Amino acid sequence: MKRTPYFYLVLFISKLVRFMLLKLGRNATNFPGELAIWLCRSFIGRMPKPKKVICITGTNGKTTVANLIEDVLEKTGADFYCNRNGSNVYSGVASLLLANSDWRGRPTKELAVFELDERSSNLILPYMRPDLMLCTNIFRDSYKRNAHPEFICDFLNKYIPDGVPMILNADDMMCSGLKPDNPRVYFSIAKQPGDGEGSRNIVQDVPACPRCGGELQWDFRRYHHIGGAVCKECGFSSPKADYTVTELRETDMVVDIRGESYTFPLANNSYINVYNSLAAIALLCEHGIEPGTIAQALGSIGISATRYMEEEVNGRKAILHLAKGQNPVACSRAFQNIRDYPGRKAAILFLDDFFDAQHTVENISWLYDADFEFLSDDSVVQLIVAGARHWDVYLRLLLAGVPAERIDHMPETSGAADALRAAEPDAVFILYDVYTIRLAEDTEKLVKEKLKKEAAKNAD
């Protein structure tokens, strides 16, 4: 797009506002871009871009994948910028372009890595063509935001530019079918022991062939619609992957990359983490980094502490675990992780969407799409529910088969740690929404103090 005198005026004003915000101690990750777009709707399109742009989107995992990619790029000495600490919507992207350009708008680095909210793609991708684009997966999300996953597929198909090289999840038939005429590579986890044709999850967003609506024959379904299948009617099937996990071990995984095997370390071997790590590896390889270099860098990298963090307290664990508000699939994955974690567990559930906790809504249907049944396992000895919708979550837990004596619930989040029966669990999970990490961290401190006191009492 042509850069007019008015564009340069908007650029100057927006940069000046950003400078003033920084002087006032603000982070300036969103407002300068929001102002620039308000003054000039085509601002992102007119701003000069770096030589190479990498974009990462998808329903779940995009922040973790983006952080892994950025960490590896840092360790390999790449000179780049990213929105790790900023917004992933259009105003955040505009702010990032502002922050990494001179006063004439020229980029100060040659590589940019953008995590993109899928619902903002219509306001970003028509004006910023990626050189590589990764999609982690496509699931149903918050009903009020993302409607049905087929809507998100249509949205991405419309706004991802033709010809952009794609990196896609072969085990997700909706994700793997994005932009069918674009060049692409796929990543996959080969069928593992325990993978079967059935799935215990309530939600199944691909009940029939995405192409013709015919009956699918599943080789395996890992969870929800993640797995491998072929349509009995038209033959549409899960594609053969270029990056395939062939062996999954406790602390590492073996990945076949176009016929050659490489071993990569894992922070943990839950399927969510494996898919996230594999997606990052695939993109970094497509970017041009050697697999051995990636493996070495990953060896010193853990999962983002804003998504998952374990801390040992006198032989027991306090665990922060993201569970996106009103996202039934993300919550189901977290619930299954709790069930599968070794030993006796307690969990504090802060499941209210941050904004709904401020102005609660009546739509609670997502609770009945989430697999609370995983929490009825005998190894889960206590569940503490706190927040505006605590009665609704309490009822859902009862319907999932959790005995009432294992559940404590309250409207005030401040009382959650006090309700913990510290003598019972070997590990305490704290589940929280994207925007309530501070609440989770404050609660974790109280939980750790309680675990320490319990350990001291036992020592006496």
Side-chain angles (χ1 to χ4, degrees):
M1 287 186 176
K2 185 179 179 181
R3 297 178 188 103
T4 63
Y6 179 71
F7 163 77
Y8 286 107
L9 175 62
V10 172
L11 175 66
F12 176 79
I13 293 170
S14 303
K15 277 190 160 289
L16 182 62
V17 168
R18 180 179 182 276
F19 175 80
M20 293 170 64
L21 287 171
L22 292 173
K23 286 293 184 183
L24 293 170
R26 306 290 293 276
N27 58 22
T29 58
N30 194 63
F31 181 74
E34 191 170 2
L35 175 65
I37 292 171
W38 183 71
L39 292 172
C40 176
R41 294 294 296 175
S42 57
F43 182 80
I44 291 177
R46 295 180 188 278
M47 274 293 284
K49 312 300 187 302
K51 285 186 178 179
K52 189 167 188 178
V53 173
I54 293 171
C55 290
I56 301 148
T57 194
T59 306
N60 296 319
K62 54 184 174 287
T63 298
T64 300
V65 172
N67 288 347
L68 284 170
I69 289 166
E70 291 150 12
D71 287 340
V72 171
L73 289 173
E74 284 178 0
K75 290 184 178 298
T76 55
D79 188 25
F80 71 101
Y81 66 88
C82 61
N83 54 344
R84 179 193 292 267
N85 298 313
S87 168
N88 63 8
V89 297
Y90 63 97
S91 53
V93 169
S95 290
L96 196 61
L97 291 170
L98 280 166
N100 293 277
S101 63
D102 61 21
W103 286 86
R104 294 179 62 185
R106 296 173 298 191
T108 55
K109 299 183 189 300
E110 294 189 351
L111 173 63
V113 179
F114 292 99
E115 175 197 340
L116 298 184
D117 177 82
E118 58 274 25
R119 282 289 276 118
S120 288
S121 57
N122 62 320
L123 300 172
I124 299 171
L125 293 177
Y127 311 108
M128 184 174 68
R129 180 186 177 88
D131 295 281
L132 281 174
M133 182 147 194
L134 166 70
C135 184
T136 57
N137 50 60
I138 296 176
F139 284 110
R140 68 179 64 187
D141 201 342
S142 167
Y143 294 155
K144 67 180 182 181
R145 266 190 90 245
N146 282 1
H148 195 274
E150 289 183 0
F151 164 74
I152 296 302
C153 274
D154 291 343
F155 206 74
L156 290 171
N157 274 324
K158 182 176 180 180
Y159 292 108
I160 295 173
D162 293 340
V164 168
M166 306 290 292
I167 301 161
L168 301 169
N169 188 340
D171 299 341
D172 179 341
M173 295 187 86
M174 283 195 289
C175 177
S176 65
L178 286 174
K179 298 298 289 186
D181 295 328
N182 283 26
R184 66 205 34 243
V185 296
Y186 299 104
F187 58 92
S188 169
I189 303 173
K191 186 176 181 179
Q192 300 293 309
D195 286 338
E197 294 181 18
S199 172
R200 292 183 57 188
N201 300 113
I202 295 170
V203 166
Q204 161 61 321
D205 284 323
V206 185
C209 175
R211 289 279 174 88
C212 75
E215 183 182 355
L216 290 173
Q217 180 176 333
W218 290 88
D219 178 35
F220 68 96
R221 274 177 60 192
R222 187 160 286 132
Y223 54 82
H224 302 287
H225 63 267
I226 299 298
V230 60
C231 176
K232 293 181 178 180
E233 304 296 328
C234 72
F236 177 67
S237 64
S238 301
K240 179 176 172 55
D242 305 88
Y243 299 83
T244 305
V245 174
T246 56
E247 187 177 352
L248 187 55
R249 303 188 287 238
E250 188 172 348
T251 59
D252 59 32
M253 62 181 177
V254 179
V255 181
D256 181 281
I257 302 177
R258 298 186 175 96
E260 294 191 31
S261 291
Y262 300 88
T263 300
F264 296 91
L266 287 171
N268 69 61
N269 63 359
S270 70
Y271 279 130
I272 296 174
N273 180 51
V274 176
Y275 274 115
N276 289 340
S277 298
L278 181 61
I281 290 163
L283 188 143
L284 289 163
C285 286
E286 294 301 307
H287 175 58
I289 303 178
E290 290 297 319
T293 303
I294 298 169
Q296 186 176 4
L298 286 174
S300 57
I301 295 170
I303 304 170
S304 169
T306 62
R307 260 55 188 169
Y308 185 94
M309 184 174 67
E310 291 190 13
E311 190 167 346
E312 188 164 334
V313 184
N314 297 92
R316 292 190 281 179
K317 294 287 184 69
I319 302 170
L320 294 176
H321 194 319
L322 176 68
K324 288 183 182 179
Q326 297 195 5
N327 182 320
V329 173
C331 285
S332 295
R333 299 291 86 232
F335 299 159
Q336 184 168 1
N337 286 346
I338 292 172
R339 186 203 64 179
D340 293 344
Y341 197 85
R344 292 158 60 85
K345 287 86 64 172
I348 297 173
L349 310 181
F350 297 133
L351 299 184
D352 289 326
D353 176 274
F354 174 77
F355 299 104
D356 282 348
Q358 309 299 313
H359 307 285
T360 187
V361 296
E362 294 300 319
N363 188 341
I364 58 167
S365 55
W366 77 271
L367 294 175
Y368 295 87
D369 282 344
D371 294 294
F372 283 85
E373 285 72 13
F374 289 128
L375 300 177
S376 66
D377 193 83
D378 289 340
S379 67
V380 182
V381 296
Q382 186 184 14
L383 293 165
I384 301 165
V385 182
R389 284 289 175 185
H390 67 105
W391 278 110
D392 295 304
V393 178
Y394 174 62
L395 175 60
R396 179 67 184 91
L397 287 167
L398 292 177
L399 292 171
V402 180
E405 60 269 21
R406 293 187 197 168
I407 310 169
D408 294 274
H409 63 106
M410 62 213 67
E412 298 300 328
T413 55
S414 57
D418 291 336
L420 177 68
R421 299 191 290 272
E424 298 184 23
D426 302 308
V428 180
F429 282 81
I430 303 167
L431 269 55
Y432 57 94
D433 179 48
V434 174
Y435 299 102
T436 54
I437 178 65
R438 298 292 168 257
L439 166 63
E441 289 172 340
D442 291 344
T443 303
E444 184 198 28
K445 291 176 185 176
L446 297 174
V447 166
K448 289 190 293 186
E449 285 300 315
K450 204 159 186 179
L451 293 175
K452 288 176 183 176
K453 288 179 181 178
E454 184 65 27
K457 184 172 72 175
N458 292 337
D460 292 340

